[in-house]
Amino acid sequence: MAPSLSHVDWILTTGRLLGLDQMVYGLAERLCDAGVPLMRLRLSMRTTHPLTEAESVLWEAGTGPIVQSDAPHGLESRPAYIGSPMAVIAETRAPLRRQLTAPLAPSDHLVLHELQDRGATDYFGMPLDFVVGAGGMVIFVSNAPNGFSDADIDLLSQIANALCPIAEAHGNHRLATAIATSYLGARTGQRVLDGQITRGNIETIEAAILFSDIRGWTALNATRPASEALAIANTYFEVMSEAVDTTDGEILKFMGDGVLALFPSDGSDQGRQNACRQAIAASHAAQGIATLAELPVPFGIGIHYGAVLYGNVGARTRIDFTILGQAVNIASRVESFCGRLSQTILVSDTVAAIADVPMQHVATHYLKGLETPMPLHTPGT
């Protein structure tokens, strides 16, 4: 007897509230319990992400936990994908069924040969057409002696149609998360996703502020091809990003050849000290990573600690999530002395006092906007 269509109801009620992997797992188990001879269930969809081109969730009978994987960019150029059943579905946007009970020809794609060698007898794939974006597909594979029945195919087709809007919703959420975290950072991006998107939605926080930029950027652009200068800048940004991320900070902005990073504090004595020490650790890490990456240009880092305004500013139709305040200006001005004092890292007297780590006094200078000169220090390693 054909399995009940309650599977579709489950997808549209309970399943859609689960994570994508748990929905696929739950659906596969339900289908097996209902007698559908399912060996593999795969849900795959294209993504918009700086690092990945496609996301897949794979369930296989008897293999334990579900597998979720991301495919890097360049998927279409890989031999394992070219001419594969998934490539055909993606190109034609039409269902594809291939029964695997008969011997395959050498010209058949390696994927089909591998599935047949593992006992697969039937392959059925359905495209998932999204309202916006490239869409995705769902693949069902059977290892029953006669493969899927006509009733199974009818049910799986209906299931694919029910999965489509659920998969699109998950894809849109992943897209929003990728955009927010890639352009704003993980911490700030999550605040935006949580709804803090109104102009003037600002709070005052305490933080260590790290400002860094490449020395001699103007001269570098004047003497090197634009493509080479861009490659150097990207390497420098990668260095700073890795250093800040590994010390629990967050890069708020790439500004020309500069980086603005934030190390928030809860305002307690311990929180202030942790924030300053994290910023200093990031600075040391950047030096080491730059050496390993063979970064061909020097850079400076300035660190200050203070209260900043953290939130949304801008015009009615163009908003930026940023930090503002005197502490940000001071961090930038501290960094501006790195070149003239031949130092890679300089910290304000405030940071030196709070961090309570070995410091070397380098010089005392007037900073623009301050009435008294500020002692500048470089931290020990």
Side-chain angles (χ1 to χ4, degrees):
M1 184 172 67
S4 169
L5 291 182
S6 63
H7 302 299
V8 171
D9 295 331
W10 180 86
I11 291 170
L12 298 176
T13 54
T14 303
R16 70 182 181 85
L17 300 177
L18 303 175
L20 200 63
D21 53 349
Q22 291 304 310
M23 181 185 69
V24 169
Y25 179 85
L27 175 61
E29 293 295 313
R30 287 175 61 86
L31 288 171
C32 289
D33 290 344
V36 178
L38 194 63
M39 168 186 169
R40 169 185 283 191
L41 171 57
R42 178 170 187 166
L43 177 64
S44 181
M45 53 190 175
R46 293 302 178 97
T47 64
T48 301
H49 191 277
L51 301 178
T52 60
E53 185 169 351
E55 173 188 11
S56 289
V57 179
L58 174 66
W59 173 93
E60 287 197 346
T63 60
I66 200 162
V67 176
Q68 184 163 354
S69 62
D70 294 331
H73 289 283
L75 177 67
E76 291 92 343
S77 63
R78 295 184 177 87
Y81 180 80
I82 297 173
S84 70
M86 293 183 70
V88 173
I89 295 170
E91 292 164 7
T92 63
R93 307 310 301 165
L96 173 67
R97 186 179 183 189
R98 183 66 188 273
Q99 292 178 309
L100 305 175
T101 51
L104 295 171
S107 58
D108 286 314
H109 196 273
L110 179 62
V111 167
L112 295 176
H113 283 276
E114 291 176 343
L115 285 172
Q116 190 179 66
D117 289 344
R118 294 181 54 197
T121 57
D122 208 345
Y123 181 105
F124 178 57
M126 285 277 291
L128 304 178
D129 293 322
F130 296 167
V131 176
V132 178
M137 65 189 70
V138 58
I139 307 297
F140 305 95
V141 178
S142 176
N143 58 357
N146 297 317
F148 294 120
S149 67
D150 291 342
D152 291 333
I153 294 296
D154 181 62
L155 173 61
L156 298 179
S157 298
Q158 294 182 55
I159 283 175
N161 291 331
L163 284 173
C164 188
I166 314 301
E168 183 170 14
H170 280 277
N172 287 340
H173 176 71
R174 182 181 172 105
L175 171 61
T177 301
I179 291 173
T181 56
S182 297
Y183 283 88
L184 299 174
R187 185 182 291 112
T188 301
Q190 189 58 54
R191 293 171 70 97
V192 171
L193 291 172
D194 290 340
Q196 297 188 35
I197 58 174
T198 305
R199 183 177 64 165
N201 191 338
I202 294 174
E203 62 178 310
T204 300
I205 66 170
E206 290 186 27
I209 301 100
L210 182 153
F211 189 87
S212 174
D213 70 3
I214 296 173
R215 292 188 202 164
W217 178 247
T218 301
L220 185 148
N221 276 275
T223 57
R224 303 205 186 192
S227 58
E228 186 177 335
L230 178 60
I232 291 172
N234 282 334
T235 301
Y236 160 70
F237 291 143
E238 192 71 29
V239 165
M240 294 305 303
S241 179
E242 183 176 346
V244 171
D245 289 346
T246 56
T247 51
D248 204 29
E250 181 175 36
I251 290 179
L252 284 180
K253 292 187 180 301
F254 296 119
M255 304 176 297
D257 65 317
V259 172
L260 175 62
L262 185 71
F263 297 82
S265 160
D266 61 9
S268 67
D269 290 343
Q270 187 63 54
R272 295 184 182 100
Q273 187 177 81
N274 289 342
C276 289
R277 288 183 175 181
Q278 287 167 347
I280 292 169
S283 303
H284 289 313
Q287 288 181 294
I289 297 168
T291 298
L292 292 175
E294 299 181 346
L295 184 67
V297 292
F299 57 91
I301 296 174
I303 305 172
H304 183 59
Y305 182 92
V308 295
L309 297 175
Y310 176 57
N312 292 297
V313 299
R316 288 184 298 108
T317 58
R318 177 63 174 89
I319 295 175
D320 190 16
F321 206 110
T322 189
I323 55 174
L324 300 170
Q326 181 73 328
V328 182
N329 299 333
I330 292 174
S332 175
R333 287 159 190 164
V334 168
E335 190 279 329
S336 68
F337 280 92
C338 287
R340 68 182 88 174
L341 297 177
S342 300
Q343 298 291 329
T344 300
I345 308 170
L346 287 175
V347 307
S348 68
D349 204 37
T350 304
V351 171
I354 295 173
D356 192 25
V357 296
M359 293 280 177
Q360 178 184 347
H361 175 254
V362 177
T364 299
H365 283 280
Y366 280 96
L367 274 63
K368 183 179 178 181
L370 298 183
E371 296 181 355
T372 58
M374 176 178 286
L376 301 176
H377 310 262
T378 188
T381 56

